[in-house]
Amino acid sequence: MMVLVVGVLAIVFGIALSISVGAANIHLSTVWEAIVHYNSNQTEHAIIRDLRLPRALADVLVGASFAVAGAIMQGMTRNPLADAGLLGLNAGSALMVAVCFAFLPGLSYNSLILFSFLGAAVAAGLVYGISSLARGGLTPVRLVLAGAAVSALLTALSEGIAIHFQLSQELAFWYAGGVAGVKWSQLKVMTPWLVIALVGALLLSRSITLLSLGDEVATGLGQKTVLVKMVGTIIVLLLAGVSVSAVGPIGFVGLVVPHFARFFVGVDYRWIIPCSAVIGGGFMIIADIGARMINPPYETPIGVLFALIGVPFFLYVSRKGRREIS
């Protein structure tokens, strides 16, 4: 409980700080004034209300979504390296977004979310299918290797489409990941999808805890493992697909954050999932603030920062758990 309380307070402070810093630094008192007494004639109020507030809220929502998606995948597969980015879901969503930009440029954002979701689903099907074809069946190591191969293929296809249709500049920053372009219109569309998926993850948390003990144990305790995995997969696809359509294929959030949550609250997913959501939201805000402060007034792609943290952490986890996942 303490982790949740401290995390929520940190998120509130992070939102205020995120709104106040940037190319134009704004005092926190002005931020409060713009929220409670908005004046459209003041430039600072317009910056806060139209640009920085939706960006900060998108940080929290997307960070929570990526983190919870990673937590669910790690619980269902019993794989400490499971993550929407590593298992190809982000690359699948990114490919479909690139296809929409090239062939359906006037597509509504609702439709873009649907195509992004379908792209994540196709990538998941490819990864699980390839992993299952190998002798010995599906294992955590084969899942990660298949995810890496499928991610490389889909990313190459996305870049090929971008180059052929001269979308490289339009998609370059989006591929690197960032919330700078999120507006209220996007936030209004993506929020219901992500909130529904996050609530679904909370309702499924007890079943994920049982699955993390192994299929045989979960079945012996009366768990319908196939149904739980199907629902869990749909929730993960929603969380990853919608988030990627908004901010790009940001990786490693879902890998790193659940490990921190488990460190604080143990192995019960009734606590891991809400704590992952809170830590993920705060983690995303901190990274976004850092992306703006490294080389002002220019922005460093947020995906680069997560890669700098995530790659060493991936190597650490894979080395630490090499016996358990082989």
Side-chain angles (χ1 to χ4, degrees):
M1 181 62 71
M2 184 61 68
V3 175
L4 292 176
V5 172
V6 173
V8 169
L9 292 175
I11 285 176
V12 172
F13 176 76
I15 290 175
L17 187 62
S18 176
I19 295 172
S20 65
V21 300
N25 290 326
I26 301 173
H27 198 274
L28 287 175
S29 61
T30 307
V31 174
W32 178 253
E33 184 182 341
I35 293 174
V36 297
H37 300 295
Y38 178 65
N39 184 353
S40 60
N41 295 323
Q42 291 192 29
T43 303
E44 289 184 336
H45 284 206
I47 292 174
I48 292 168
R49 182 68 70 89
D50 298 332
L51 299 177
R52 294 190 181 176
L53 185 55
R55 176 175 183 163
L57 295 177
D59 276 327
V60 176
L61 199 56
V62 170
S65 298
F66 277 131
V68 170
I72 293 175
M73 293 180 72
Q74 290 174 17
M76 289 197 306
T77 63
R78 302 179 66 200
N79 182 357
L81 300 178
D83 167 52
L86 291 175
L87 297 187
L89 273 65
N90 290 358
S93 294
L95 174 60
M96 290 307 296
V97 171
V99 168
C100 291
F101 280 14
F103 297 101
L104 303 167
L107 205 63
S108 69
Y109 187 59
N110 257 329
S111 300
L112 186 66
I113 286 177
L114 177 60
F115 277 99
S116 184
F117 170 81
L118 293 175
V122 170
L126 287 173
V127 171
Y128 279 95
I130 293 171
S131 302
S132 301
L133 289 176
R135 180 180 299 177
L138 185 67
T139 65
V141 165
R142 291 194 182 101
L143 203 60
V144 172
L145 293 176
V150 170
S151 293
L153 172 63
L154 298 181
T155 300
L157 291 174
S158 301
E159 292 175 351
I161 290 172
I163 292 171
H164 181 76
F165 290 94
Q166 298 180 348
L167 299 171
S168 298
Q169 289 185 341
E170 186 177 348
L171 293 176
F173 196 83
W174 181 83
Y175 277 132
V179 293
V182 177
K183 301 294 188 294
W184 283 115
S185 57
Q186 290 175 285
L187 202 60
K188 289 177 182 177
V189 173
M190 63 188 278
T191 298
W193 292 94
L194 294 181
V195 169
I196 290 171
L198 290 171
V199 172
L202 290 173
L203 295 176
L204 201 66
S205 59
R206 181 180 178 276
S207 299
I208 298 296
T209 301
L210 296 179
L211 272 183
S212 69
L213 301 175
D215 286 2
E216 292 182 0
V217 175
T219 302
L221 294 173
Q223 191 69 251
K224 297 179 180 179
T225 56
V226 175
L227 178 61
V228 171
K229 287 183 179 180
M230 286 179 59
V231 175
T233 300
I234 291 172
I235 290 173
V236 169
L237 293 177
L238 270 175
L239 292 171
V242 176
S243 298
V244 169
S245 71
V247 303
I250 298 174
F252 296 109
V253 182
L255 169 67
V256 175
V257 173
H259 286 276
F260 281 108
R262 273 189 290 272
F263 175 78
F264 287 118
V265 301
V267 297
D268 189 344
Y269 278 81
R270 288 176 294 182
W271 287 103
I272 290 175
I273 286 177
C275 287
S276 293
V278 171
I279 296 172
F283 193 33
M284 192 80 171
I285 286 182
I286 293 171
D288 190 28
I289 294 172
R292 280 178 273 174
M293 296 180 66
I294 289 176
N295 186 29
Y298 305 103
E299 291 197 19
T300 303
I302 197 170
V304 175
L305 297 183
F306 280 121
L308 291 175
I309 299 170
V311 171
F313 192 84
F314 171 81
L315 296 174
Y316 166 75
V317 172
S318 61
R319 181 177 176 82
K320 181 181 178 182
R322 64 187 182 277
R323 293 180 182 176
E324 288 84 352
I325 64 173
S326 61

